[in-house]
Amino acid sequence: MPQNTYRAINFAEKLGQIHEHWQPRVMAELNDYQIKIVRIEGDFIWHDHPETDEAFLVIEGSLRIDFRDGSVIVGPGEMFVVPKGKEHKPFAEKEVSMLLIEPRGTLNTGHEGGARTAQNDVWV
Amino acid sequence: MPQNTYRAINFAEKLGQIHEHWQPRVMAELNDYQIKIVRIEGDFIWHDHPETDEAFLVIEGSLRIDFRDGSVIVGPGEMFVVPKGKEHKPFAEKEVSMLLIEPRGTLNTGHEGGARTAQNDVWV
């Protein structure tokens, strides 16, 4: 059988194609989940995801996720899972690049809508 | 309201608690999925997961995943999703540390069983 060369997904290469903040891009699917990559900087809006947990894995920078009752700092080589239904607001004083893992169809603003809602299901 | 300090999951800290190869440890759950961390070295057995895709995210080292029709090399800052039902055999010439993302209950050897099957659902 001829040998195929499969290619890994390289985060730095994908980030090189992303020039906007707060616009998650899909890199891969895992069953009905998507693994997204995003650059963020500054403040976001309060929102939650009533149907799903959401995983944040930081590649570069220092992510702060604010909750109504506290906060968490997530740095490179670290992750945090925000439980379903828990209100949160990501914040990055300087630019952060990170992965998001969540079910296909999850919007970045949950059900809040508005100007900060990114187009969903855009691949990089 | 008193402010809670939430803690991120740190991969290096978790790896510091793992001293065996081929024994995935659960770090977090995302709905009914688990995010695991594992050290591997050497060769594994051919297997597949008929029910699920499986994501590999490499932290350190160079992972090779062999398929019946080719292979892929996955390095630090890279990932690969092995499609459901596709036979594969992970291989690490030198030690590799990596994350696995898959549904809770997924065994490391699929349905092959045998000596290489790790105890499932062990947390770190």
Side-chain angles (χ1 to χ4, degrees):
Chain A
M1 193 182 290
Q3 292 293 291
N4 296 309
T5 302
Y6 294 90
R7 281 199 65 209
I9 295 166
N10 183 289
F11 304 151
E13 186 188 320
K14 296 296 186 188
L15 284 170
Q17 301 172 46
I18 295 177
H19 308 290
E20 290 172 293
H21 291 141
W22 303 106
Q23 300 290 323
R25 296 288 179 253
V26 181
M27 291 191 302
E29 287 188 333
L30 175 74
N31 303 318
D32 55 342
Y33 279 66
Q34 291 182 327
I35 301 175
K36 304 174 183 178
I37 191 162
V38 64
R39 293 180 186 272
I40 66 167
E41 190 174 330
D43 218 346
F44 203 59
I45 62 168
W46 283 105
H47 68 283
D48 71 319
H49 304 281
E51 312 82 3
T52 182
D53 301 339
E54 184 174 41
F56 295 78
L57 285 76
V58 171
I59 300 170
E60 210 173 338
S62 180
L63 168 69
R64 194 183 77 206
I65 308 174
D66 291 333
F67 305 109
R68 295 297 188 183
D69 64 349
S71 65
V72 63
I73 304 285
V74 191
E78 295 187 332
M79 63 165 291
F80 192 81
V81 177
V82 175
K84 122 173 65 177
K86 189 170 181 74
E87 275 193 295
H88 60 283
K89 185 171 68 65
F91 172 76
E93 190 179 339
K94 297 178 183 176
E95 189 183 68
V96 166
S97 55
M98 61 181 182
L99 309 186
L100 298 172
I101 309 172
E102 54 201 359
R104 191 187 300 132
T106 305
L107 289 174
N108 65 332
T109 50
H111 294 261
E112 294 299 320
R116 303 299 296 268
T117 304
Q119 196 184 341
N120 210 8
D121 212 25
V122 181
W123 285 67
V124 67
Chain B
M1 196 184 289
Q3 293 293 292
N4 296 310
T5 301
Y6 294 90
R7 281 199 66 209
I9 295 166
N10 183 289
F11 305 151
E13 185 188 321
K14 296 296 185 187
L15 284 170
Q17 300 171 47
I18 295 177
H19 309 290
E20 290 172 291
H21 291 143
W22 303 105
Q23 300 290 321
R25 295 288 178 254
V26 181
M27 290 191 302
E29 288 188 333
L30 176 74
N31 304 320
D32 55 343
Y33 280 65
Q34 291 182 327
I35 301 175
K36 303 174 183 177
I37 191 163
V38 64
R39 292 180 187 272
I40 66 167
E41 190 173 330
D43 219 346
F44 202 60
I45 62 167
W46 284 104
H47 68 283
D48 72 317
H49 304 281
E51 312 83 2
T52 182
D53 301 339
E54 183 174 41
F56 295 77
L57 286 76
V58 171
I59 299 170
E60 210 173 338
S62 180
L63 168 69
R64 193 184 79 207
I65 308 173
D66 291 334
F67 305 109
R68 295 296 188 184
D69 64 350
S71 64
V72 64
I73 305 284
V74 192
E78 295 187 332
M79 62 164 292
F80 192 81
V81 177
V82 175
K84 115 173 73 175
K86 188 170 183 73
E87 275 193 294
H88 60 283
K89 184 171 70 63
F91 171 75
E93 191 179 341
K94 296 178 182 176
E95 189 183 69
V96 167
S97 55
M98 62 183 181
L99 308 186
L100 298 173
I101 309 172
E102 53 201 358
R104 191 186 300 132
T106 306
L107 289 174
N108 66 330
T109 51
H111 295 260
E112 294 299 320
R116 303 298 296 267
T117 304
Q119 195 184 341
N120 210 7
D121 211 24
V122 182
W123 285 67
V124 66

